[in-house]
Amino acid sequence: DPQIMLAADRIVDLGPGPGEHGGRIVFNGTPAELARGADTLTAAYLSGRKDAAQAAGQRGPPLPADPRLEVRGASEHNLQDLDVEIPLGRLVCVTGVSGSGKSTLVQDVLHAALLRAKGKPTEAPGQHRELLGTEHVGEVVLVDQTAIGRTTRSNPASYVGAFDVIRKRFAAEAVSLERGYTLGTFSFNSGNGLCPTCAGNGFEHVEMQFLSDVYLRCPDCDGKRFRPEILEVKIAREGGSPLSIADVLEMTVSEAVVFFAEDREVLARLEPLASVGLDYLRLGQPVPTLSGGEAQRLKLAGHLADVKPVNAKVTRLPQV
């Protein structure tokens, strides 16, 4: 929030990039010093040298002829016969104080009514007279703040379906065919390829009676999740070193995009992660360790991976 930042006594700016590309103090000083001369992404937006709307390719205010959704007579909970027009093809924010009806309007009325209009299963929409403009919408997806999973076996690669394709590549290697390894051999959910000590978790869970539980790296597999003989199966790409499945899971999304650059099926699943700004995550990072914002972007990437054609190119969204 620029107003909060400008009112602060001191700003500590971390960066310069996300994930392993960050972790350094790129600025430490007053807000005026930051806005006036600092060479950081935060300073560029705070000073006005960069503009969020311009970076996102915003086309300006909607015109009267532009398509829009129109909610008429919304009266659910504390909404009082509300009429709302929501322009399409724009990033639209619904704002208001806590309890003013934002979630009721968007989730209970608009989202549920759109699902019903598209013939999708849903609970009864919140009370309203009519919803106009549904012909302009092909599909509706709700990306909320609910947890996407508590199991440490779930990771960004498995969430978008990339891990299934990657396991197919390992199962098709000559060593795998000689030994009779299958797709399930390279899963850390089941199969006989798992480390018997940690059962594919990569760590041991130690319950503490009065303190927080402790997670220790598995002493047998060293956190790699698989038996040593499974890690002998490796995939090689031109100009690169052969990698085991544990090595692939240690890759960041951006590294994996380069490694699988010639594999369109894998790339189609990985590119949505990069397009929503999660290219710094490691493929095998447990989902419960993600922040709330990262989890929401992962949900969006999962949807994009499901609907994007294999040969389509994803354009990276701007970092704001």
Side-chain angles (χ1 to χ4, degrees), residues 6-319:
L6 293 173
D9 295 323
R10 178 169 292 273
I11 291 180
V12 179
D13 194 0
L14 296 176
E20 63 185 18
H21 302 296
R24 295 189 292 276
I25 295 179
V26 294
F27 175 82
N28 182 6
T30 66
E33 292 171 340
L34 176 68
R36 184 170 59 246
D39 185 20
T40 72
L41 191 63
T42 303
Y45 282 100
L46 190 63
S47 64
R49 297 195 301 270
K50 285 190 175 183
D51 179 78
Q54 183 180 11
Q58 188 168 323
R59 295 174 292 174
L63 302 175
D66 288 347
R68 64 195 65 216
L69 290 171
E70 300 181 31
V71 179
R72 301 299 183 194
S75 303
E76 185 73 5
H77 299 319
N78 58 338
L79 299 179
Q80 301 179 18
D81 196 25
L82 187 67
D83 294 341
V84 179
E85 294 186 0
I86 300 177
L88 299 175
R90 300 290 193 280
L91 175 63
V92 179
C93 299
V94 178
T95 68
V97 298
S98 179
S100 59
K102 304 183 299 296
S103 297
T104 298
L105 174 65
V106 175
Q107 295 181 206
D108 299 345
V109 178
L110 179 59
H111 179 245
L114 274 171
L115 286 177
R116 185 174 66 177
K118 297 302 175 183
K120 302 292 182 66
T122 181
E123 297 180 358
Q127 185 177 352
H128 66 289
R129 287 196 306 273
E130 59 181 344
L131 175 62
L132 305 176
T134 58
E135 68 277 7
H136 301 302
V137 177
E139 188 174 358
V140 56
V141 179
L142 178 64
V143 180
D144 58 14
Q145 293 181 334
T146 57
I148 59 178
R150 296 182 180 274
T151 173
T152 57
R153 300 177 190 271
S154 179
N155 55 54
S158 62
Y159 193 87
V160 298
F163 193 47
D164 291 338
V165 185
I166 291 172
R167 289 191 295 125
K168 290 180 184 178
R169 302 297 181 262
F170 278 95
E173 287 294 305
V175 177
S176 296
L177 298 176
E178 291 173 4
R179 298 179 180 181
Y181 294 165
T182 65
L183 194 66
T185 306
F186 297 94
S187 169
F188 41 70
N189 289 316
S190 61
N192 57 8
L194 300 177
C195 169
T197 303
C198 65
N201 282 313
F203 58 84
E204 292 182 305
H205 178 199
V206 181
E207 294 186 6
M208 307 293 286
Q209 187 170 3
F210 299 107
L211 302 173
S212 299
D213 291 353
V214 175
Y215 296 89
L216 301 176
R217 184 183 294 269
C218 176
D220 287 346
C221 70
D222 194 31
K224 295 182 178 179
R225 301 187 177 193
F226 296 94
R227 296 176 182 269
E229 60 268 26
I230 305 302
L231 301 180
E232 293 175 359
V233 181
K234 297 188 176 183
I235 288 180
R237 290 291 184 266
E238 184 177 353
S241 302
L243 301 179
S244 69
I245 193 164
D247 295 329
V248 171
L249 288 172
E250 277 297 306
M251 282 182 158
T252 63
V253 173
S254 57
E255 291 170 343
V257 166
V258 174
F259 184 76
F260 292 103
E262 303 302 321
D263 192 325
R264 291 304 306 170
E265 191 175 3
V266 176
L267 205 58
R269 295 287 173 175
L270 292 178
E271 283 183 328
L273 289 171
S275 74
V276 298
L278 294 179
D279 51 345
Y280 60 91
L281 292 183
R282 299 196 179 276
L283 298 187
Q285 181 172 338
V287 160
T289 66
L290 301 181
S291 69
E294 288 171 337
Q296 284 185 300
R297 283 183 281 165
L298 183 57
K299 290 181 186 180
L300 183 58
H303 173 69
L304 293 174
D306 288 337
V307 302
K308 187 174 75 68
V310 171
N311 292 322
K313 180 176 178 58
V314 172
T315 301
R316 180 182 175 84
L317 299 179
Q319 292 289 299

